[in-house]
């Protein structure tokens, strides 16, 4: 009979971790890419080439990696990624990770659906692991997201990639009644995923809550968080954070504003815009159409569109909560033959998450404000994005249509423009968006 395998004791585990950390630090320092380079321009590493230590004081390169197992990251992170099905890296991950793992600040711009979340989750886990971060060390990283739904998705990715680490993590988002329970536990958490308002609430109200040892700050959908609407809140948050830290800003569109970068204390950030040189600013598998629709014909046109696509999953954007509620109620009474749902910012958090989950599961029409345009990943492909109202600007258009054609799947979008809004079509074309114009039909 075989003897049962004995689990390594804690002392052995600690020694193994210390050895691994020393190896990782040596590997990272010896092979770090030059500042200002884009690892996407490096030749891809040979899949069969040895990884890690390849001589007494020699290590394999990691700029040019195409797979996660070629990176200088811990066994715990590699196991989490593998179990979650993450094997090959996307462009933004290939570009950002070699720089972020060696401690640099990142300004990352990439199309929606391109895998930005893992590009900052991995270096957070690795930074805290190499620093041997523990429960008594408090908050080591803060990830700020503009919406509750996006924060919830980020938290799921963090849990998947970090499942074999021992860090404590918490989701701090508004609209939940258990703020008092959060206050009791928040000082014990190592990684916080939060919305700006909820984070500031804890900074202002929670006894002994402080982030003086913060290692990594992340702003996801950074252009939205740096916008005027969050300006006061963000300034109040940043004023309470240490200036010496690593900072990542990720978004589909990105700021180069000196003022924004200065108030966030970024240190010579690496600007990585992986799709800046691409022919289009939107996903390659996305078919985009714009059409002239006078105001008094918009609802008729939308009704005809829905009736013609009853077997599709359709996301319809409108500009205000009132419009969403009106169109949803009106169409519901008319019974188009497909389930209808609505989503807007005035709904309670639990209801919003429930509707989002239902829409992910089966074909239906979801009427929504821009609350659904940012970062949300509808698990099963959205077939159509319909913009009943013209978006505020090109960036808003990109975020809206980014809910379909995610990763390598296909998708289609249609934009209804009134005759007075033709300037938007010019702006989209100037921004490398290949949109077809039609006067009648779709």
């Amino acid at each position: 009979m075989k003897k049962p395998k004995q689990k390594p004791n804690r002392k052995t585990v600690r020694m193994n971790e210390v050895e691994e950390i020393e190896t990782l630090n040596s590997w990272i320092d010896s092979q770090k890419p030059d500042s200002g380079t884009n690892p996407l321009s490096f030749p891809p590493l040979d899949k069969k080439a040895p990884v890690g230590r390849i001589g007494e004081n020699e290590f394999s390169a990691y700029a040019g990696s195409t797979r996660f197992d070629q990176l200088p990251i811990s066994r715990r992170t590699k196991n989490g990624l593998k179990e979650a099905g993450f094997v090959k890296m996307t462009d933004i991950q290939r570009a950002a990770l070699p720089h972020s793992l060696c401690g640099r600040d990142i300004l990352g711009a990439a199309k929606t659906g391109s895998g930005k979340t893992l590009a900052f989750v991995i270096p957070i886990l690795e930074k805290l692991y190499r620093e041997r971060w523990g429960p008594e060390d408090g908050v080591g990283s803060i990830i700020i997201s503009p919406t509750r739904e996006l924060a919830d998705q980020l938290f799921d990715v963090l849990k998947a990639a970090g499942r074999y680490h021992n860090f404590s993590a918490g989701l701090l988002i508004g609209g939940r009644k258990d703020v008092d329970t959060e206050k009791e536990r928040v000082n014990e958490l190592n990684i916080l995923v939060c919305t700006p308002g909820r984070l500031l609430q804890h900074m202002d109200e929670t006894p002994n809550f402080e982030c003086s040892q913060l290692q990594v700050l992340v702003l996801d959908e950074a252009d939205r968080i740096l916008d005027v609407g969050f300006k006061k809140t963000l300034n109040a948050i940043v004023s309470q954070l240490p200036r010496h830290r690593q900072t990542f800003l990720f978004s589909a569109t990105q700021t180069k504003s000196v003022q924004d970068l200065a108030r966030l204390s970024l240190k010579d950030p690496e600007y990585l815009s992986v799709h800046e040189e691409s022919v289009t600013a939107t996903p390659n598998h996305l078919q985009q159409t714009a059409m002239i629709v006078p105001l008094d014909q918009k609802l008729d046109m939308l009704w005809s569109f829905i009736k013609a696509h009853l077997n599709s999953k359709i996301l319809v954007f409108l500009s205000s909560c009132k419009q969403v509620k009106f169109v949803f109620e009106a169409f519901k009474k008319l019974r188009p033959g497909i389930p209808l749902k609505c989503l807007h910012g005035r709904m309670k958090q639990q209801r919003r998450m429930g509707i989002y989950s239902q829409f992910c599961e089966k074909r239906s029409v979801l009427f929504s404000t821009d609350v659904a345009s940012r970062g949300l990943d509808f698990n099963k492909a959205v077939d159509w994005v319909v913009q009943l109202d013209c978006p505020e600007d090109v960036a808003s258009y990109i975020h809206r249509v980014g809910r379909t054609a995610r990763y390598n799947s296909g998708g289609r979008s249609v934009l209804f423009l009134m005759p007075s809004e033709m300037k938007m079509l010019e702006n989209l074309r100037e921004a490398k968006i290949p949109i077809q114009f039609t006067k009648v039909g779709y």
Side-chain angles (χ1 to χ4, degrees), residues 129-299:
Y129 177 73
R130 297 203 313 270
E131 293 290 336
R132 297 190 62 74
W133 209 258
E136 69 286 348
D137 294 310
V139 178
S141 178
I142 294 174
I143 305 170
I144 303 178
S145 160
T147 69
R148 302 164 187 177
E149 290 84 359
L150 183 52
D152 195 54
Q153 283 189 351
L154 292 178
F155 196 63
D156 287 341
V157 176
L158 174 66
K159 285 190 294 185
R163 70 178 63 191
Y164 293 110
H165 286 281
N166 296 321
F167 309 125
S168 54
L171 179 64
L172 310 180
I173 54 180
R176 298 184 348 175
K177 294 178 182 177
D178 53 355
V179 67
D180 290 330
T181 308
E182 283 182 6
K183 286 178 181 179
E184 291 171 13
R185 296 198 54 224
V186 70
N187 289 321
E188 302 165 10
L189 299 174
N190 300 140
I191 303 172
L192 304 180
V193 179
C194 43
T195 48
R198 191 61 149 211
L199 175 60
L200 186 59
Q201 184 181 357
H202 280 291
M203 285 180 158
D204 291 343
E205 299 175 8
T206 303
N208 305 319
F209 178 68
E210 54 94 27
C211 309
S212 62
Q213 302 303 310
L214 188 76
Q215 302 293 302
V216 186
L217 172 67
V218 178
L219 268 61
D220 190 34
E221 301 296 338
D223 56 348
R224 168 99 178 261
I225 296 173
L226 291 166
D227 204 359
V228 177
F230 286 112
K231 186 174 183 178
K232 193 174 177 182
T233 304
L234 185 63
N235 287 345
I237 290 169
V238 170
S239 70
Q240 300 183 54
L241 301 178
R243 292 174 68 85
H244 183 70
R245 62 170 191 269
Q246 197 173 3
T247 306
F248 305 144
L249 274 62
F250 281 92
S251 191
T253 53
Q254 192 56 271
T255 180
K256 285 184 179 177
S257 159
V258 173
Q259 191 177 359
D260 284 337
L261 306 189
R263 67 183 166 127
L264 288 169
S265 307
L266 267 76
K267 313 175 294 292
D268 301 319
E270 299 294 329
Y271 182 81
L272 300 166
S273 183
V274 299
H275 297 120
E276 200 167 56
E277 303 305 318
S278 81
V279 178
T280 70
T282 46
N284 296 329
H285 302 281
L286 175 61
Q287 297 175 33
Q288 303 169 77
T289 306
M291 66 179 75
I292 291 288
V293 183
L295 182 60
D296 61 351
Q297 294 176 28
K298 275 190 176 184
L299 290 183

Side-chain angles (χ1 to χ4, degrees), residues 149 313 315 324 328 339-362 364-368 371-372 376 378:
E149 290 84 359
K313 188 182 290 189
L315 180 54
V324 166
F328 171 67
L340 306 179
K341 305 179 189 310
C342 72
L343 194 67
H344 54 78
R346 290 182 186 165
M347 288 178 167
K348 289 190 176 178
Q349 171 66 12
Q350 198 169 356
R351 191 168 168 224
R352 271 164 57 178
M353 292 307 295
I355 289 166
Y356 161 71
S357 299
Q358 290 166 19
F359 184 66
C360 286
E361 292 306 314
K362 55 186 177 181
S364 54
V365 179
L366 177 63
F367 301 103
S368 179
V371 73
L376 287 185
F378 297 103

Side-chain angles (χ1 to χ4, degrees), residues 8-27:
N9 60 40
R10 287 184 183 179
K11 188 175 180 182
T12 306
V13 170
R14 280 199 301 271
M15 286 180 65
N16 290 343
E17 285 182 358
V18 170
E19 288 174 10
E20 183 182 41
I21 290 167
E22 286 176 357
T23 301
L24 289 173
N25 285 333
S26 299
W27 184 2

